[in-house]
Structure formats: structure tokens, C-alpha cells
């Protein structure tokens, strides 16, 4: 449960291989902020950054 006044952004990023469009991995990330608005770009950027931190491990696991 989130503290009063806090919001959480969650993102999922699909990493695909073209032209076959094979899904290589799905990255998830999240960020929580207190006193932020739902349109706060920094919260969304933090959630995306959280997901992208997992990219090297995901690519290694998929054989890239």
C-alpha cells in the first residue's frame, strides 16, 4: 500500500528481434513519489530507468 499522497508509475518494455518480431524479453520497472502529479515526467522517467537497468541481464539471458 502506498503512503497517503504518493503515486507509483509502472512500466513494461518489450524487447523484440526484427524482422522475425520474436520477443526477446520483457522488462518491468517502477518508481514511487510523494507529492507528485500523475503527469510528472520525472516519475515516468524513473520508472523507465528502473526497467532499463535490467536490459543487460535480459539481453545476456536471451543470447545477445
Amino acid at each position: 500500500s502506498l503512503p497517503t499522497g504518493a503515486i507509483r508509475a509502472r512500466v513494461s518494455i518489450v524487447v523484440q528481434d526484427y524482422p522475425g518480431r520474436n520477443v526477446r524479453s520483457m522488462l518491468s520497472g517502477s518508481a514511487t513519489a510523494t507529492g507528485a502529479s500523475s503527469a510528472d515526467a520525472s516519475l515516468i522517467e524513473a520508472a523507465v530507468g528502473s526497467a532499463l537497468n535490467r536490459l543487460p541481464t535480459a539481453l545476456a539471458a536471451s543470447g545477445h
Side-chain angles (χ1 to χ4, degrees):
S1 132
L2 292 175
T4 302
I7 60 171
R8 176 177 291 143
R10 291 184 181 177
V11 298
S12 295
I13 301 170
V14 176
V15 179
Q16 291 186 311
D17 183 11
Y18 292 100
R21 297 185 186 177
N22 299 320
V23 173
R24 294 295 178 189
S25 61
M26 183 168 205
L27 308 173
S28 297
S30 65
T32 303
T34 303
S37 72
S38 60
D40 189 344
S42 63
L43 181 61
I44 296 167
E45 288 174 9
V48 171
S50 172
L52 291 178
N53 284 337
R54 296 171 176 85
L55 183 59
T57 303
L59 289 177
S62 70
H64 280 79

